[in-house]
Amino acid sequence: MKIREIMKSPVIVIRPDETVDRALDIMNQEKVNGTPIVDENNRLVGMIVKADIYRFLMDPGHYKSCPVEWVMTKEVIKAHADEEILDVAKRLRDYNIIALPVVEGDNDEVVGIISFEDILDYYIEQQMNKY
């Protein structure tokens, strides 16, 4: 089965020029721990999670008014919508991360997000359906 069949879509995204404070507000409002960062063409340019923001704010001189671009991870591990679920599950485990942005096309347009929980739920449901 392909990731596109279990990914969350549409996904909450943030622009790189949003403030760290605004990013936290969005994540808290949407009840997510991380979100892809996209440019004006919805192309993936980064990823941010709450833990990154909290670590950033602990350093002297870092403020909530700083742009997300200063905090986001720019070398993003991602999934492609047509990848198999097991391959993406292995990637999550190998990199010890909880979620991946899902992209399509040559421009890495963000079309969803897949989390460890989504994959675990899928495998649990598969097992439950056997009985």
Side-chain angles (χ1 to χ4, degrees):
M1 182 175 281
K2 306 293 183 185
I3 281 297
R4 77 172 64 256
E5 297 177 49
I6 66 167
M7 71 183 186
K8 298 278 191 293
S9 182
V11 62
I12 303 305
V13 296
I14 298 174
R15 303 277 185 234
D17 57 350
E18 292 277 2
T19 65
V20 170
D21 189 41
R22 176 78 177 124
L24 275 175
D25 285 347
I26 291 169
M27 286 189 268
N28 287 333
Q29 179 181 354
E30 297 298 328
K31 296 181 173 84
V32 297
N33 287 319
T35 185
I37 310 300
V38 299
D39 65 13
E40 61 278 351
N41 297 315
N42 205 38
R43 188 177 61 226
L44 182 67
V45 295
M47 182 78 179
I48 194 163
V49 296
K50 286 181 181 178
D52 294 336
I53 293 173
Y54 298 143
R55 277 191 296 274
F56 175 80
L57 292 175
M58 289 177 63
D59 286 339
H62 291 171
Y63 303 99
K64 290 182 177 183
S65 60
C66 293
V68 166
E69 188 171 31
W70 290 13
V71 184
M72 70 184 193
T73 300
K74 294 177 180 138
E75 297 293 322
V76 181
I77 308 300
K78 58 193 170 204
H80 292 273
D82 59 352
E83 282 188 85
E84 295 292 329
I85 293 172
L86 182 58
D87 294 333
V88 175
K90 288 178 184 176
R91 190 170 314 121
L92 284 167
R93 184 68 175 127
D94 289 347
Y95 287 95
N96 195 28
I97 51 181
I98 61 169
L100 297 174
V102 180
V103 298
E104 276 188 326
D106 295 334
N107 292 330
D108 281 351
E109 181 181 347
V110 176
V111 295
I113 194 162
I114 189 73
S115 72
F116 174 77
E117 291 166 340
D118 298 328
I119 292 173
L120 185 59
D121 289 345
Y122 166 77
Y123 282 113
I124 290 170
E125 183 178 327
Q126 294 300 304
Q127 292 300 309
M128 297 296 287
N129 288 336
K130 286 183 177 181
Y131 302 106

